Amino acid sequence: MTNVSDSNPRIYVACLAAYNNGYLHGAWIDADQDADQIRDEIVTMLARSPIAHAEEYAIHDFEGFEGVTISEYAGIDTVAHIGAFISEHGALGAGLLEQFVGDMDQAETALQDCYHGQFASLADYMEELTTESITIPEALRYYVDWQAMARDAEMSGDLFTVETAHDEVHVFSSR
């Protein structure tokens, strides 16, 4: 069901007091851990800052999020949630977040309740679904246009897909 990535989601958190005083000080932190653990690592990084009593930070870089963008001032709870989702589901999770414009609740619901599986194409899914539901006489089998059925299902909004690689399409119900 998932296409897990080899890279783990990480953020580079920079100390703003050091940055504003001409120093580059920060730390790479795994983003697929509990939000409180991320906060603890940020506090540790700030404590080592070359500027005394540093308190403010920003996310200056990120990697391993499969194309999902993390903003400079994203909340740590959000980063941890997205990091765990991407870590578990890889490119499929990222594709769902893109489909739902970053809405984690919708992405998780689609994965749990609307997922039909991985196929080479949406047409292949339509063929499998149809042939499991009805018997098509052999004489008519070559007249069925699976591509047209797939296009119609997508255009009607009944189905959507997330493509994670060549010939790797994940099919979801829209409702």
Side-chain angles (χ1 to χ4, degrees):
M1 181 168 101
T2 60
N3 180 27
V4 179
S5 167
D6 289 335
S7 62
N8 68 322
R10 301 182 328 147
I11 54 174
Y12 180 80
V13 181
C15 170
L16 290 180
Y19 183 79
N20 291 334
N21 283 285
Y23 299 101
L24 293 178
H25 177 75
W28 280 100
I29 299 172
D30 289 338
D32 60 348
Q33 58 184 326
D34 182 71
D36 287 335
Q37 291 173 303
I38 294 173
R39 284 186 194 92
D40 289 346
E41 290 190 41
I42 292 171
V43 167
T44 300
M45 178 273 299
L46 290 171
R48 292 188 318 255
S49 175
I51 305 299
H53 311 294
E55 295 177 349
E56 296 181 337
Y57 63 89
I59 299 169
H60 280 189
D61 202 358
F62 56 91
E63 65 183 22
F65 283 87
E66 300 284 347
V68 173
T69 301
I70 303 298
S71 73
E72 186 175 17
Y73 296 105
I76 297 304
D77 289 327
T78 300
V79 170
H81 199 174
I82 292 171
F85 191 70
I86 297 295
S87 183
E88 183 177 353
H89 303 294
L92 176 57
L96 284 169
L97 287 171
E98 182 180 328
Q99 172 74 24
F100 295 112
V101 196
D103 187 324
M104 281 293 300
D105 290 338
Q106 283 188 306
E108 289 173 329
T109 297
L111 197 55
Q112 292 170 4
D113 300 339
C114 303
Y115 186 63
H116 297 287
Q118 177 186 324
F119 300 86
S121 68
L122 183 55
D124 286 350
Y125 169 74
M126 295 305 295
E127 181 177 3
E128 184 177 302
L129 177 67
T130 303
T131 57
E132 285 179 357
S133 303
I134 61 170
T135 302
I136 299 173
E138 204 57 43
L140 298 177
R141 192 176 252 333
Y142 298 104
Y143 293 99
V144 178
D145 188 344
W146 305 115
Q147 293 288 348
M149 289 177 70
R151 183 187 63 244
D152 289 350
E154 212 164 22
M155 288 179 68
S156 70
D158 291 337
L159 299 173
F160 71 90
T161 61
V162 173
E163 186 172 349
T164 53
H166 178 68
D167 287 340
E168 189 174 292
V169 175
H170 300 269
V171 178
F172 295 85
S173 298
S174 295
R175 299 174 180 114

